[in-house]
Amino acid sequence: MELEGFLLDADYVTEDGRAVIRLWCKDEQGKHFVIFDRNFEPYFYALKEDVMEGEEELKRELLRVRVQSKKAEIRVKDVTVEEKKLLGKTRRVFKIFAEHPRHVPALRKEVERKGFTALEADVLFAIRYLIDKGLKPFGGVKAKGVSMRVDCADAAVVAAEVEYIEKGKPPQLDILAFDCEMANPYGMPSPSRDPIIIISTAYLTANGERGCKLFIKGDDEDDERIIQEFLDFIREFSPDVIVGYNSDAFDWQYIKERAKLHGIELSVGADRSTPRIEKTPTPEVNIAGRLNVDLYRVVQRDLGEVKVKTLENVAEFLGVMQREERVELSAKGIYEAWLQDKKKLLEYARADVESTLGIAERLLPLQYEFSKMTRCPLDIVARMGRGRQVEAYLSAEAFKIGELVPPKSGAAETYEGGFVLSPEEGLHENVVCLDFSAMYPTIMISFNISPDTYVGNAKEGLSVPEEAVNIAPEVGHAFRKQPDGFFKKILVELVQRRAKLKEEMKKLDKGSDAYRLLDIQQQCIKILTNSFYGYTGWGAARWYKRECAEATTAWGRHFIKEAIKMAEEMGFKVIYGDTDSIFVKLSDGSDVLKQAEELAAKISEKLPLELEVEDFFKTIFFTEKKKRYAALTADGEIVVRGLEVRRGDWCELAKEVQAEVINAILRDKSPEKAVKYVRGVINMLKSGEVPLEKLIIRKTLTKKASGYDAKQAHVLAAEKARARNIVYEVGSKVPYIILKGAEKMSERAFPADLIDEARGNEILSEGKTHHVDYNYYVKHQVIPAAHRILRYFGYDTKVFEESEQMTLDKWFS
């Protein structure tokens, strides 16, 4: 029998004490099939330095390794000798086979106790299989073997042969998003006490059908029924991918505990197995035959632009759902809506799960490509940090050329980063930003920077002729010119692949599926290549080599200084430079954009780097610190870096004020308009015209309230809430406002979840009237947010109270 389709996931099961690989696949007609491979054995490598014994004696010593466990004796099954490379040097190493993957950790420990160095012992068995077989998740797979009947798929085969085949388009997947709501008058819910009131789902089928299904608890019942119906729906829908938002750390854990109370088996795996749910050190949920992705983990790693990564903020940032389009409820609001306005609560639940599905549609395609490149299933690659993704890719590429993955060094040293030319403070017009494209990958390629090409430091003397090496400026690290290092080979291949993809994209309609697919592929390559340099300086990296990272930044500093020098020689004024970019302008009124393009061409011709025009700013202003500026592009977009009021202890009003001030400065060039606007906001605050929700401050409780030495405002607010039986768990955001009073500001923080009604600057709580301290919001929120920008133009805080006329003319440099 022969089966062909797309590989989605890989794991293993144990049959008669042996590990059997399972490959979960889907064909082009949407049918699911499983490949069983009983012929692959777990193994790892070992080597020994400077020993007197011969190879055969060492082999016999390894074959005698035994470890006594509680259940049985663990032994080495077999040992072979292979020739491999380690950091470019050919080595004779022992390949040690185990009876079962679970035996490898114990055998590794014993082998190391005997003085050997164990290598690649922590590669997951299923990923080891994918690497060795050259298989790629979301890539094509073909298997030949004996057909067998299974309940978990439409077809199955016990394979005699398994091979990778090229497939042009990605598989069409069935995706299910889910979210849970709990009603608790006391704040954060507890699974031992509070039932789930709604499990909301949204789905997208392989053929493009969308839908939303809510499971709602009845008033006079527990949540047993809706949990069971949710599990039945998963089995009926049979999704390829299940997504949630913070679902590994919260929703799955909560469902598990509630199901346990009711004696319900969480049999949601494709084989009806229960998920493997782990809490430490990082929450992980693994479901057999289904790819479980917590999108919050992806957002944490990939969306640095979104500082407060709530579901609502991320959905808005990605264009999935604007805040004004959805219902928003606090924890207390959910409880009140459950009792008094279920329609509103259902709208809220539906908005949450549809936002989750929309975020998945935006983010998953890139994750599919990372999965394919790293040979790691989607659920694993989505949890990886960037360094681990680079390492997974390197490990797969190393196998192809017979290179072993080095052991961890455990060391990490700091090194100097990129060069920064301090910005020229003030307002500037007609400024061009020039950027070195892929600076660090290009440097690593140009100078053959790789852990296996490092030969020492020229300042300390070299054992090779200087003409045979590239010596990094300032630091003196030397790397041989020939042959190409492991990293250079990989980077060259990646750069060439990306260039080919971009050439293909030029031939396609930008709105076509083919264009979008190639764009995702080139983005993935770009992210990986740009991460190589940082990986070499990461202490946890297996290919850690501080000298590589240090030399790369040294060459980077050298070239950015050269670019600044050449720009000044051509008559440009360089007003800012940072790592791989410079900001330039001309004072003679000539066409700065055209001349900047000529400058970029001249620098690109002289240096082994490509300088490109990144952006043209009609207006831009810099502070005295790096990475802090705001600019208006030629397209009318406002770009803000490092000036944003983003922290949780700023209320929404403060953020709005700063955005309007920046807008008035850059678009209208009118500080007077900005000041007038701020004065108007202050008057609205004093008269109680600002909605209370814009005054709520939200700050994360990073530990238990008792663990804080100095009681901050949000901690004291949390303690007040606890006294009223509203509990904020560690990791949750405490919403509070500041009330009038004679106490310290922190002691006047009042939890927003205790507010029953707001009337102007008065709030009602439990029959009592409190007054919002609008003076606090004026002096510590609105004015600081506005002054953060206006102070660079000569204004002090008194301007918001006094009439003062000022133009920006004198601030243009």
Side-chain angles (χ1 to χ4, degrees), residues 122-134:
D122 53 358
V123 180
L124 295 176
F125 183 55
I127 293 178
R128 174 84 276 170
Y129 179 87
L130 298 184
I131 291 173
D132 288 23
K133 292 287 185 178

Side-chain angles (χ1 to χ4, degrees), residues 8 15 61 135 152 174 223 229 290 339 346 413 511 528-529 541 598 680:
L8 301 185
E15 295 179 358
E61 181 182 357
L135 300 176
C152 58
D174 295 297
D223 54 5
E229 288 179 354
R290 311 200 196 282
L339 297 178
L346 295 181
E413 300 176 65
L528 279 180
T529 53
E598 293 174 0

Side-chain angles (χ1 to χ4, degrees), residues 2 4 27 81 144 477 586:
E2 182 174 298
E4 180 181 315
D27 67 21
V81 181
K144 295 179 182 179
H477 299 315
L586 292 170

Side-chain angles (χ1 to χ4, degrees), residues 159 161 170 413 483 628 764:
E161 297 177 31
E413 300 176 65
R628 291 190 181 181
L764 300 179

